[in-house]
Amino acid sequence: MLLKRPVLGFFFCIVYLNCYVVNKYVLSVLKFTYPTLFQGWQTLVGGLLLHVTWKTGFVEVGNFTRSAVLSWLPGSVLFVGIIYAGSRALSRLPIPIFFTFHNASEVFASLTRWFICKESASPTKFLSLLLLVIAATCLPYYDAQFDPDGYFWVIIHLLCTGGYKAFQKLKKSSVLSEIEQQYINYAFSVLLLAFAAHPTGDFSGALEFPFLYFYRFHGGCCASGILGFILVLITVKLKSNSSSTHCGAWTCFAKILSAALSPLIFDFVMNAPTLFCLLLGVVGDALLIYTERNNGEGRS
C-alpha cells in the first residue's frame, strides 16, 4: 500500500497535466471555441466509457432511484456551468491564472457552508481563504495579457465550482456514490449541451472551423475525452485509497506541476507582480490543505 499510493499519486499528476495541456491546445492553439460541442463531446465520451466500465464490472454503479436522480439535478446544473465556463475561460487565460481562480472557488464553497450550516472557521483557515481572495483579486490588475472575457468566464467557473463543492458536501448523506453522481452529470450534460449547440451558434460556427478535417484536431478531441474520463476514475480511486489531506496534497502538486510546465508550451507573459499573485495562490491552497488536516475536514 505504501508503494501503491505514490504510484497512484504520480499517475494522477501525469493525467492531470496532460488533460489540461490537451484541452488548452484544442481551445487556444487550434481555437476550437465552441464549448457546447467540445464539452458535449467530452461528456459523451466520458459517459459512454463509464457505462462500458460499469457493464464490464470495473466500476460499480447502483440502480439509483428517480428521487435520487432528481435530488442531484442541482449538482448536475452546476457541473454544466463548471465545464462550460471553464472551457470559455481556459481558451482565453493561461493555465496558471486559471488555476488561481479555480483554487479561489474554495472561498465561495466555504462561505456557502458557513451560511447554510453555520460552520465555524479557524484563524488559519480564514488566513488561507484570505490569501486565495487576494491572489485572485490582484491578478487582473497585473496581468500583461488581460482579457476581460476570460476573467468574466473564469469568475462564473469559480462560482459554479464553489457551489458544486458546497452542494456535494451538503449531500454527503446522499445514497449516490461519487461515480453515480458523475454518471448523472454526464447524462444531463450531454442532453443539455446538445440542445444548446444550435441556439448558441456553436453548431453553425463549427462547420466553418478551419481545422475540422485535420488529424491534430481529431486527435486532440479524442485525447481530451479519454483523458477526462481517466482523470475522473483516478480521482475517485485516489480518494478511496488516501485520506482527504493526501488527496488534496496530490491535487495541489498536480496544479503546481501543470502551472509550472504550461508556460514552456503556451505563450504566457509573466511579470513580478503576476508571479507573486500566483505564488500567493499556491501558498493559500497549501495552507488550506494543512488547515483541513488539523481540523479533520475533507475537501470535495
Side-chain angles (χ1 to χ4, degrees), residues 16 78 105 118 138 168 180 190 220 226 240 253 298:
Y16 196 96
L78 289 169
S105 65
K118 309 301 181 183
C138 294
Q168 197 172 39
E180 291 166 347
V190 170
I226 295 171
S240 63
F253 179 72

Side-chain angles (χ1 to χ4, degrees), residues 101-179:
F101 278 84
H102 182 83
N103 290 341
S105 65
E106 194 64 40
V107 177
F108 184 69
S110 297
L111 289 174
T112 304
R113 292 195 297 266
W114 293 344
F115 180 77
I116 296 176
C117 303
K118 309 301 181 183
E119 293 182 358
S120 59
S122 65
T124 310
K125 182 168 185 177
F126 181 80
L127 175 60
S128 66
L129 296 178
L130 182 61
L131 292 178
L132 292 174
V133 169
I134 294 173
T137 304
C138 294
L139 258 179
Y141 294 100
Y142 299 109
D143 184 8
Q145 298 169 295
F146 178 77
D147 187 312
D149 288 339
Y151 279 101
F152 170 79
W153 285 111
V154 83
I155 290 174
I156 301 299
H157 173 79
L158 180 158
L159 296 176
C160 290
T161 304
Y164 185 85
K165 289 178 179 181
F167 182 76
Q168 197 172 39
K169 189 160 186 177
L170 292 174
K171 299 291 289 183
K172 282 296 186 182
S173 58
S174 171
V175 295
L176 298 172
S177 66
E178 194 163 348
I179 283 291

Side-chain angles (χ1 to χ4, degrees), residues 42-246:
Q42 287 188 342
T43 51
L44 176 63
V45 171
L48 290 175
L49 291 177
L50 184 54
H51 189 78
V52 170
T53 53
W54 168 30
K55 292 302 182 181
T56 53
F58 285 100
V59 297
E60 184 177 348
V61 178
N63 296 317
F64 35 79
T65 63
R66 181 182 298 180
S67 61
V69 174
L70 291 176
S71 68
W72 183 252
L73 279 184
S76 294
V77 173
L78 289 169
F79 178 80
V80 174
I82 290 170
I83 60 177
Y84 183 90
S87 180
R88 288 281 195 187
L90 193 60
S91 67
R92 294 175 172 273
L93 298 178
I95 289 177
I97 291 178
F98 179 84
F99 281 157
T100 301
F101 278 84
H102 182 83
N103 290 341
S105 65
E106 194 64 40
V107 177
F108 184 69
S110 297
L111 289 174
T112 304
R113 292 195 297 266
W114 293 344
F115 180 77
I116 296 176
C117 303
K118 309 301 181 183
E119 293 182 358
S120 59
S122 65
T124 310
K125 182 168 185 177
F126 181 80
L127 175 60
S128 66
L129 296 178
L130 182 61
L131 292 178
L132 292 174
V133 169
I134 294 173
T137 304
C138 294
L139 258 179
Y141 294 100
Y142 299 109
D143 184 8
Q145 298 169 295
F146 178 77
D147 187 312
D149 288 339
Y151 279 101
F152 170 79
W153 285 111
V154 83
I155 290 174
I156 301 299
H157 173 79
L158 180 158
L159 296 176
C160 290
T161 304
Y164 185 85
K165 289 178 179 181
F167 182 76
Q168 197 172 39
K169 189 160 186 177
L170 292 174
K171 299 291 289 183
K172 282 296 186 182
S173 58
S174 171
V175 295
L176 298 172
S177 66
E178 194 163 348
I179 283 291
E180 291 166 347
Q181 293 170 2
Q182 192 62 34
Y183 192 86
I184 297 170
N185 289 342
Y186 280 146
F188 182 82
S189 300
V190 170
L191 292 174
L192 185 60
L193 293 172
F195 280 113
H198 183 69
T200 57
D202 285 359
F203 183 76
S204 57
L207 294 177
E208 301 175 1
F209 181 61
F211 299 109
L212 188 61
Y213 301 105
F214 280 55
Y215 73 92
R216 289 180 296 168
F217 172 65
H218 298 159
C221 287
C222 290
S224 68
I226 295 171
L227 285 170
F229 169 71
I230 295 174
L231 184 60
V232 168
L233 286 190
I234 198 69
T235 301
V236 173
K237 185 72 173 176
L238 188 64
K239 288 181 177 180
S240 63
N241 285 274
S242 308
S243 66
S244 59
T245 302
H246 285 132

Side-chain angles (χ1 to χ4, degrees), residues 3-13 234 237-238 241:
L3 178 62
K4 288 181 179 179
R5 285 180 182 175
V7 171
L8 187 64
F10 281 117
F11 182 61
F12 167 79
C13 292
I234 198 69
K237 185 72 173 176
L238 188 64
N241 285 274

